[in-house]
Amino acid sequence: MLNWAGKSEAYHTLQSPSFKTLTPCPQESVDFDHSDNIFIEGENLDVLKILQKSYFNSVKMIYIDPPYNTGNDFVYHDNFASRLDDYQQQSGEKDENGLLKKAFVRNSKENGHYHSNWLNMMLPRLHLAKNLLKDDGVIFISIDDNEQAQLKLLCDEVFGEENFVGQFIWKSRQNKDNRNLTGLSIDHEYIFCYSKYNNQRILNGAERKVEQYKNPDNDPRGLWVSANMVGLLGEDQRPNCHYDLINPNTGINYGKPKLGWRYDKNTMSKLIEENRILFPKEPSGRPRRKVFLNELNSELPNINSIIGENIYTTNGTKDINELFDNKFFPFPKPVKLIEELLKQTTKQENDIILDFFAGSATTAHAVMQLNAEDNSNRRFICVQMPELTDEKSEAFKAGFKTIAEISKERIRRAGKHIAENNPNPLDTGFKVFKLSDSYFKQWQSPNVEDLAKQLEFFIDPVADFAEPQAMLYEILLRLGLKLSVKVRLENTIFWLEDENSKRYAILLSEANEALFNQIIEQQPLKVVMLDRLFNGNDALKKNTELQFADHHIQFLVI
């Protein structure tokens, strides 16, 4: 078991509720009303907590590229008990313009809790991420040597050692690095892979190479290749596979290999009878078996654990430069690398891919690009903190004040480029949401002196700064609906329809008997409205409850 300083507090952080919500930002989105892709700007711990109900057991693949804890990067603050604005001001995260200036705290290698701080940051996020995975879901985590040992043990605890699929090695550096004083050029990174439940084939496999299949003897069974028949075990372990193999037509004895043959005598005799054995002309040769292409099962060959052949960090930089004509983001992951992971795990329509350390939004780019290549409909959810860019950086000089702004602009440009070069209709848009305080007042445990004040405060639970559309999405999340749910506004009624064609009606600005009758005609599954819309008319409220109950419509008043 892996223990470290602060582990119990990390579990407390995991279990503490979030009182935040997500505010829609249509003006920063592309095709907000129709796109199923999501970009969320905000601290990912709170965001993951907010998504728990709506996206529980819904995500097919998670890819994250967290801070590697090199001593020069950072780990997240996790003290979010107070109001978001208050906390950010107290911790110095916001500048005079209200922008985040310190999303992380530096984690120096000289710090006695160097590994502990990083593990405290990762533990709650991985637990929350696991909840979002489907039963056949998979998570990939990029890491380097600084924390790979600790990450393996942490993931064994969170996901279960039995669900460890493998550790990919990616040769990330094309040229040797001569800066390391040890004389070793570190040219690789790791990608850990865990499944939620490892009870089936997890990865799709590598593409089958069929060009090697030929039919030089015009065998009516079609294309074939020759396969090795040498055994795998010694005679003491598989004695029935150790025998002399003789060609019945020529009498040539080919003897037996040190490890015998792969098949026992009866199986070998059947293969000879079916003309599946290729006998050499010389006794020194080694007989081989014909393997026919049309007899192979549907499963593809296993993928190699060495991943991303001829794909380097420089390719990721090139991906960015082609969109921005400048180097705005250091060491981004290449689109092709993420595409390889997507091909291994996603094959169904509407698979959801989550990246909650989105960085420059390579994952979003890769999802859209692969959809264009195989005409599929994967959807992404990307989460990125609005961390300030360095004032000396090219990104800042170009007007990008935060990493999140770079992320959003990359998705816009990549989506436009992909759509222009693909004739088929594609979802290259995305909805933008930002982490914010709840639009409903949060109950604070009162003392005797201020109990009456608290009760008066909660006569109307709606916050003073609340707006209908913002409240709509908070209610939507509380109902367990996804952010991609279809929304239609008609006669002040917000109509929602989920992926299962279930409908909901939300009333946030007006309520009267005419609207209630209109809703009853449409027969939604549930109706949600603000209590203040009854204007204190308890008789109307009771009558409305009875009306909806008579028509088997669930009714919820806030």
Side-chain angles (χ1 to χ4, degrees):
M1 186 178 194
L2 180 64
N3 283 310
W4 65 88
K7 184 176 181 180
S8 60
E9 286 79 5
Y11 271 105
H12 178 73
T13 298
L14 165 66
Q15 295 160 1
S16 62
S18 173
F19 299 108
K20 309 298 186 291
T21 190
L22 301 178
T23 297
C25 301
Q27 69 280 5
E28 298 184 32
S29 308
V30 175
D31 196 18
F32 184 93
D33 292 332
H34 302 101
S35 180
D36 290 330
N37 298 316
I38 307 295
F39 182 90
I40 302 172
E41 185 174 315
E43 202 286 321
N44 57 18
L45 180 64
D46 264 318
V47 171
L48 288 170
K49 290 180 178 181
I50 291 169
L51 298 180
Q52 290 296 297
K53 186 173 183 179
S54 296
Y55 289 89
F56 178 80
N57 208 37
S58 297
V59 175
K60 176 63 176 178
M61 171 185 147
I62 297 174
Y63 170 77
I64 55 172
D65 186 16
Y68 282 6
N69 206 20
T70 63
N72 295 317
D73 54 11
F74 307 85
V75 293
Y76 280 68
H77 283 295
D78 276 342
N79 177 19
F80 293 100
S82 58
R83 279 188 81 247
L84 189 62
D85 286 340
D86 293 342
Y87 169 71
Q88 289 165 345
Q89 294 288 353
Q90 293 165 9
S91 63
E93 288 187 16
K94 282 195 172 182
D95 63 10
E96 61 275 9
N97 297 317
L99 291 172
L100 293 178
K101 65 179 181 181
K102 189 174 65 174
F104 308 96
V105 289
R106 185 177 293 277
N107 193 33
S108 170
K109 285 188 175 182
E110 286 70 38
N111 186 344
H113 291 166
Y114 169 64
H115 293 296
S116 298
N117 289 340
W118 190 85
L119 289 167
N120 288 333
M121 181 271 292
M122 290 296 293
L123 181 145
R125 290 164 175 82
L126 291 180
H127 271 290
L128 293 167
K130 180 186 177 183
N131 292 341
L132 301 181
L133 280 176
K134 298 173 69 174
D135 288 348
D136 62 350
V138 177
I139 184 170
F140 295 98
I141 309 173
S142 284
I143 200 67
D144 69 0
D145 283 316
N146 286 286
E147 293 293 351
Q148 66 88 14
Q150 286 70 237
L151 179 62
K152 175 64 170 63
L153 292 173
L154 176 60
C155 287
D156 284 347
E157 179 173 329
V158 174
F159 297 99
E161 187 176 357
E162 70 280 6
N163 295 318
F164 175 60
V165 177
Q167 180 172 320
F168 290 98
I169 298 173
W170 172 47
K171 189 180 184 304
S172 57
R173 184 182 292 277
Q174 186 173 12
N175 301 311
K176 288 184 180 179
D177 182 4
N178 294 316
R179 295 171 296 179
N180 197 335
L181 298 179
T182 64
L184 178 65
S185 175
I186 307 299
D187 299 337
H188 68 280
E189 295 181 10
Y190 307 100
I191 302 176
F192 284 173
C193 178
Y194 280 80
S195 63
K196 189 168 186 179
Y197 298 115
N198 195 358
N199 56 4
Q200 56 187 340
R201 184 182 174 101
I202 303 302
L203 304 177
N204 295 333
E207 293 184 9
R208 195 184 303 280
K209 296 179 179 180
V210 298
E211 60 272 10
Q212 60 187 332
Y213 287 82
K214 310 290 183 183
N215 192 5
D217 58 352
N218 295 317
D219 193 308
R221 289 167 289 191
L223 302 174
W224 56 270
V225 293
S226 67
N228 183 21
M229 294 196 304
V230 173
L232 302 173
L233 299 171
E235 189 168 2
D236 58 331
Q237 295 174 284
R238 291 199 67 183
N240 59 334
C241 290
H242 286 256
Y243 54 86
D244 287 349
L245 179 57
I246 300 172
N247 185 339
N249 296 321
T250 65
I252 297 177
N253 187 342
Y254 299 95
K256 62 180 179 181
K258 185 178 180 180
L259 294 177
W261 302 103
R262 191 159 297 187
Y263 313 105
D264 59 29
K265 278 189 176 182
N266 291 334
T267 303
M268 187 69 79
S269 296
K270 185 177 181 181
L271 292 171
I272 293 172
E273 183 181 338
E274 295 176 352
N275 192 28
R276 292 176 181 265
I277 303 301
L278 301 167
F279 289 107
K281 293 180 180 181
E282 301 296 329
S284 59
R286 183 63 55 80
R288 293 172 67 85
R289 177 193 173 191
K290 279 186 174 182
V291 177
F292 293 94
L293 179 60
N294 61 9
E295 293 179 350
L296 297 178
N297 62 35
S298 59
E299 287 189 354
L300 295 172
N302 286 354
I303 185 176
N304 199 312
S305 61
I306 309 297
I307 196 172
E309 184 178 0
N310 297 322
I311 301 173
Y312 308 103
T313 301
T314 52
N315 296 104
T317 302
K318 183 179 178 183
D319 293 335
I320 289 280
N321 291 352
E322 287 177 348
L323 294 173
F324 289 95
D325 298 323
N326 214 324
K327 188 176 181 179
F328 286 161
F329 202 90
F331 312 117
K333 290 296 183 290
V335 170
K336 287 296 182 184
L337 179 67
I338 308 303
E339 278 193 56
E340 285 200 18
L341 302 179
L342 290 167
K343 289 176 182 177
Q344 287 305 312
T345 55
T346 61
K347 51 188 176 183
Q348 298 181 4
E349 287 291 306
N350 302 317
D351 276 342
I352 298 175
I353 294 87
L354 170 64
D355 183 349
F356 52 90
F357 286 98
S360 65
T362 298
T363 298
H365 190 165
V367 168
M368 294 187 294
Q369 182 62 51
L370 188 55
N371 282 345
E373 293 173 8
D374 63 9
N375 197 30
S376 190
N377 191 35
R378 302 170 187 83
R379 298 178 285 173
F380 65 77
I381 302 175
C382 289
V383 184
Q384 176 57 40
M385 171 76 88
E387 180 191 359
L388 285 184
T389 54
D390 190 321
E391 293 184 3
K392 298 178 181 179
S393 68
E394 293 298 322
F396 185 87
K397 295 174 184 176
F400 297 103
K401 294 184 178 181
T402 69
I403 301 296
E405 289 180 8
I406 299 175
S407 308
K408 288 178 287 188
E409 184 59 22
R410 180 190 185 165
I411 302 174
R412 294 185 193 107
R413 296 189 184 195
K416 181 180 179 182
H417 176 77
I418 292 168
E420 289 175 348
N421 290 275
N422 190 76
N424 298 319
L426 287 171
D427 182 1
T428 55
F430 63 106
K431 303 177 190 287
V432 175
F433 294 85
K434 294 186 179 180
L435 185 68
S436 65
D437 289 304
S438 172
Y439 294 100
F440 296 92
K441 300 169 185 174
Q442 302 303 314
W443 177 262
Q444 304 292 329
S445 298
N447 52 38
V448 176
E449 290 77 18
D450 64 358
L451 176 58
K453 184 178 180 181
Q454 278 270 37
L455 292 173
E456 182 180 350
F457 185 66
F458 271 84
I459 291 175
D460 181 4
V462 179
D464 296 336
F465 54 87
E467 296 179 354
Q469 189 180 41
M471 282 192 291
L472 170 69
Y473 278 91
E474 182 165 1
I475 293 170
L476 180 153
L477 288 165
R478 293 189 180 193
L479 290 173
L481 299 177
K482 292 181 171 53
L483 294 168
S484 57
V485 69
K486 302 306 176 187
V487 178
R488 175 173 55 90
L489 179 61
E490 182 179 310
N491 295 335
T492 71
I493 304 171
F494 285 103
W495 289 100
L496 313 180
E497 184 172 337
D498 66 14
E499 64 269 25
N500 299 314
S501 299
K502 294 179 180 178
R503 290 186 301 163
Y504 304 78
I506 314 292
L507 293 169
L508 300 175
S509 58
E510 183 182 356
N512 54 57
E513 291 190 19
L515 290 176
F516 297 149
N517 291 333
Q518 183 179 338
I519 291 172
I520 290 172
E521 288 178 6
Q522 298 293 322
Q523 283 293 301
L525 176 68
K526 182 178 289 187
V527 177
V528 181
M529 69 172 288
L530 300 180
D531 184 74
R532 66 180 180 182
L533 299 182
F534 285 112
N535 294 316
N537 189 336
D538 292 337
L540 177 61
K541 180 178 179 180
K542 187 63 179 178
N543 184 56
T544 303
E545 290 176 351
L546 294 173
Q547 275 188 294
F548 285 129
D550 288 343
H551 290 85
H552 308 289
I553 299 172
Q554 300 176 46
F555 184 51
L556 176 64
V557 177
I558 301 176

